[in-house]
């Protein structure tokens, strides 16, 4: 039986990054993955393919608006098959890249389904039979899957999850999206841009729960202008398909007819069929694995990170946890600053946030000042023909320490990196405001929002 210092279960962004870091730090490491391709949901059927389609569909829209830049082209045409092929090729390239990184770093890769036989022995079941390996430490990084909704009959075709919505063979005529969160808005945007009528149904009276509400309000206004229709306070209780037609049932409202349904009401942790009960790994009331701040489960030597534990289900959050966990095993110190983990919705415009929202500060009675700067005062945004949205900086009233930054606007997902670094370093809004930002860049909007916290921005 092969013996390892660390066995990682799951090769998503949390698991594969942890495995590589462990090997770099000298641990004899193995990683078990049941899918034929490495990279987890993020690479295979999540972040990466959705970003490819978001990019392609955005270019399709831009191609139709080039006339305002003085470029006249004859009728841009959609070749959906080619667009989907490019997405698949990008995914293939990246998953092969991880295989290469495993080889380069000496991580042993096992293909099959992992199950605990004991805290130190893992059985790997595959088409070739069952093999057992031993481990001093085991890290569970098995991720999550689309959450089901009672009454919604997923058929893997007309009524599906994000996985199906990444590969519709034709543009839907009317796509109904259940859930106005990250997935619903990103994939709803893709298909709306490609020509579908899109209706988004949301249980709450707002979109993007958890995001700063001023930003979410602005987002809804902009998405509506792009043609997305929203029905808020709409609780979906059922959906069924008959042939090519689907019916969506909303509590207290008329049924909706459409030809495709995308269910995007969150994700559920993958904790079943791992043998957790065999070794006594405790899960919480929501089925997530309970861990302490160093990612230790209730069983000594067994750790968990990423979507299977508490916190936002984000690839980069899992990566931070994976690295911290492995370093913690070796050094005794593991730390992740959750206040400095950004969240990004890759719509047009992008929406990005890090730290506390205004609502959170109000709820916890933290005195704060707010600086706001609109992209319409930013020269680069105008050159990009994208002078929409704003940057909002929230800083402590007395100490001026940056507590939260929220951006809706062009390239918000890239701009938020500076804000995350500022929070990680404990910067004040004055630190950002006094740092030189190249002109003309979108980043100047963050500088001006920071200036607006204690003084006045120049271009507003
Ligand atoms: P989400 O939690 O972001 O949004 C789900 C939405 O569905 C919520 O607004 C919720 O109120 C609504 N909802 C729940 N039940 C409903 C019902 N019966 N009827 C109508 N609406 C209902 O979940 P998601 O969009 O499915 O994304 C899942 C996870 O994947 C998220 O945790 C997210 O962090 C992650 N993700 C991240 C990105 C990114 O980082 N860009 C992209 C996609 C997914």
């Amino acid at each position: 039986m092969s013996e390892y210092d660390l066995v990682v279960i799951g090769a998503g962004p949390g698991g594969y990054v942890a495995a590589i870091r462990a090997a770099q730090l000298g641990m004899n490491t193995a990683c078990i993955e049941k899918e034929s391709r490495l990279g987890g949901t993020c690479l295979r059927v999540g972040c990466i393919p959705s970003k490819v389609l978001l990019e392609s569909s955005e270019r399709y829209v831009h191609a139709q608006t080039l006339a305002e830049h003085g470029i006249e082209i004859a009728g841009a045409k959609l070749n959906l098959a080619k667009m989907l092929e490019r997405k698949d090729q990008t995914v293939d390239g990246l998953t092969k890249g991880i295989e290469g990184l495993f080889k380069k770093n000496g991580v042993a890769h096992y293909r099959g389904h992992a199950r605990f036989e004991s805290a130190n022995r893992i059985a790997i079941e595959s088409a070739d039979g069952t093999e057992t390996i031993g481990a001093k430490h085991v890290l569970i990084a098995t991720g999550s899957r689309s959450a089901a909704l009672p009454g919604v009959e997923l058929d893997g075709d007309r009524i599906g999850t994000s996985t199906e919505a990444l590969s519709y063979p034709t543009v839907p005529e009317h796509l109904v999206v259940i859930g106005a969160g990250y997935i619903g808005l990103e994939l709803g945007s893709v298909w709306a841009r490609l020509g579908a009528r899109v209706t988004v149904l949301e249980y709450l009276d707002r979109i993007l729960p958890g995001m700063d509400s001023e930003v979410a309000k602005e987002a809804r206004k902009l998405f509506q202008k792009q043609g997305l229709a929203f029905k808020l306070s709409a609780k979906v209780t059922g959906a069924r398909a008959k042939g090519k037609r689907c019916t969506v049932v909303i509590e207290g409202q008329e049924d909706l007819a459409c030809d495709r349904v995308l269910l995007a009401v969150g994700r559920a942790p993958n904790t079943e069929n791992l043998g957790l009960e065999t070794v006594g790994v405790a899960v919480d009331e929501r089925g997530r694995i309970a861990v302490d701040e160093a990612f230790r489960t209730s069983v000594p030597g067994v750790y968990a990170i990423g979507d299977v534990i508490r916190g936002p289900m984000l690839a980069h959050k899992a990566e931070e946890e994976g690295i911290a966990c492995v370093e913690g095993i070796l050094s005794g110190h593991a730390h992740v600053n959750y206040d400095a983990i950004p969240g990004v919705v890759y719509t047009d415009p992008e929406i990005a946030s890090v730290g506390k929202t205004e609502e959170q500060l109000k709820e916890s009675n933290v005195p704060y000042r707010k600086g706001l700067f609109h992209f319409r005062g930013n020269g680069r945004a105008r050159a990009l023909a994208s002078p929409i949205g704003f940057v909002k900086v929230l800083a402590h009233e007395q100490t001026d320490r940056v507590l939260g930054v929220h951006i809706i606007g062009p390239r918000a997902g890239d701009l938020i990196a500076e804000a995350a670094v500022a929070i990680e370093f404990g910067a004040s809004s004055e630190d950002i405001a006094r740092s030189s930002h190249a002109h003309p860049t979108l980043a100047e909007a963050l500088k001006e929002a920071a200036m607006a916290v204690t003084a006045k921005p120049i271009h507003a």
Side-chain angles (χ1 to χ4, degrees):
M1 185 175 77
S2 300
E3 287 280 351
Y4 294 92
D5 295 325
L6 175 71
V7 167
V8 181
I9 306 176
Y16 86 72
V17 165
I20 290 173
R21 189 77 185 119
Q24 287 172 343
L25 293 172
M27 293 172 102
N28 180 18
T29 307
C31 183
I32 310 169
E33 170 58 57
K34 67 179 169 51
E35 299 289 339
S36 57
R37 293 186 300 177
L38 301 175
T41 299
C42 171
L43 253 81
R44 290 181 303 103
V45 285
C47 325
I48 298 299
S50 62
K51 258 77 277 171
V52 178
L53 290 186
L54 279 156
E55 184 63 37
S56 297
S57 59
E58 200 175 325
R59 286 186 190 215
Y60 179 57
V61 171
H62 286 176
Q64 295 160 32
T65 56
L66 282 177
E68 68 176 283
H69 292 267
I71 304 165
E72 287 168 16
I73 51 165
K77 264 191 6 218
L78 172 66
N79 180 341
L80 181 59
K82 173 87 189 146
M83 200 180 270
L84 296 178
E85 189 187 314
R86 179 175 166 274
K87 173 206 60 163
D88 293 337
Q89 282 166 354
T90 311
V91 169
D92 274 351
L94 285 170
T95 55
K96 288 202 183 93
I98 300 174
E99 279 173 39
L101 289 173
F102 272 5
K103 282 205 186 93
K104 188 174 159 197
N105 288 284
V107 174
H109 169 201
Y110 288 87
R111 186 182 294 178
H113 181 97
R115 198 184 303 275
F116 281 92
E117 284 182 350
S118 72
N120 303 103
R121 286 165 71 98
I122 307 288
I124 305 163
E125 297 152 7
S126 69
D128 303 332
T130 301
E131 178 181 2
T132 299
I133 59 176
K136 260 192 222 143
H137 308 278
V138 181
L139 173 55
I140 306 168
T142 45
S144 62
R145 60 183 182 282
S146 297
L149 188 64
V152 174
E153 298 165 14
L154 295 174
D155 65 358
D157 179 21
R158 295 272 151 192
I159 303 189
T161 63
S162 47
T163 302
E164 287 80 20
L166 288 167
S167 299
Y168 293 150
T170 54
V171 177
E173 176 201 316
H174 183 195
L175 170 66
V176 168
V177 178
I178 311 175
Y182 283 74
I183 294 179
L185 293 175
E186 288 185 1
L187 290 175
S189 292
V190 165
W191 294 104
R193 290 171 191 170
L194 299 181
R197 179 179 151 212
V198 176
T199 307
V200 184
L201 307 177
E202 169 57 49
Y203 173 70
L204 300 172
D205 61 0
R206 57 163 290 176
I207 68 169
L208 290 170
M211 282 259 178
D212 189 274
S213 67
E214 198 175 0
V215 166
K217 218 187 249 171
E218 178 76 4
R220 181 154 73 91
K221 219 170 63 192
L222 293 171
F223 294 149
Q224 273 167 339
K225 268 198 200 154
Q226 291 169 13
L228 291 187
F230 290 96
K231 270 181 187 273
L232 303 182
S233 306
K235 183 179 177 191
V236 173
T237 54
R240 54 183 185 277
K242 198 171 173 201
K244 290 184 176 174
R245 305 302 303 167
C246 314
T247 306
V248 181
V249 185
I250 310 167
E251 196 175 81
Q253 295 187 36
E254 254 181 50
D255 291 356
L256 261 186
C258 58
D259 61 332
R260 291 213 181 258
V261 176
L262 161 58
L263 178 67
V265 293
R267 299 183 61 83
N270 288 328
T271 49
E272 291 88 11
N273 302 320
L274 288 171
L276 296 186
E277 44 311 316
T278 316
V279 278
V281 171
V283 293
D284 68 16
E285 68 295 342
R286 288 167 66 181
R288 303 172 302 192
I289 296 173
V291 291
D292 67 9
E293 71 295 337
F295 311 101
R296 291 177 286 237
T297 68
S298 54
V299 176
V302 179
Y303 305 79
I305 55 153
D307 287 7
V308 283
I309 66 166
R310 78 283 187 271
M313 292 181 165
L314 298 170
H316 48 282
K317 174 251 191 195
E319 287 178 27
E320 293 304 324
E321 290 176 340
I323 289 177
C325 175
V326 164
E327 292 180 352
I329 292 172
L330 291 170
S331 70
H333 302 285
H335 177 68
V336 172
N337 178 3
Y338 290 96
D339 276 335
I341 293 194
V344 180
V345 190
Y346 296 87
T347 44
D348 183 22
E350 291 182 347
I351 302 163
S353 102
V354 63
K356 302 282 187 240
T357 64
E358 221 176 321
E359 295 77 56
Q360 285 171 330
L361 294 179
K362 276 185 191 144
E363 266 164 38
S364 44
N365 287 321
V366 176
Y368 66 93
R369 283 204 195 130
K370 165 175 159 179
L372 202 72
F373 185 78
H374 286 268
F375 280 101
R376 62 173 173 262
N378 177 275
R380 189 62 184 279
R382 292 209 173 232
L384 285 171
S386 205
I388 45 173
F390 56 81
V391 179
K392 171 161 143 178
V393 174
L394 303 169
H396 196 281
E397 190 176 35
Q398 278 101 40
T399 65
D400 193 32
R401 191 179 177 133
V402 177
L403 302 173
V405 175
H406 307 279
I407 309 176
I408 176 165
R411 317 258 159 91
D414 294 312
L415 297 178
I416 204 70
E418 180 186 350
V421 173
I423 289 183
E424 185 67 46
F425 277 58
S428 63
S429 79
E430 189 181 349
D431 288 330
I432 299 179
R434 289 194 183 277
S435 301
S436 174
H437 288 63
H439 177 73
T441 58
L442 295 168
E444 287 173 290
L446 177 57
K447 176 185 168 93
E448 296 227 43
M451 288 170 95
V453 172
T454 49
K456 282 194 171 145
I458 304 294
H459 299 93

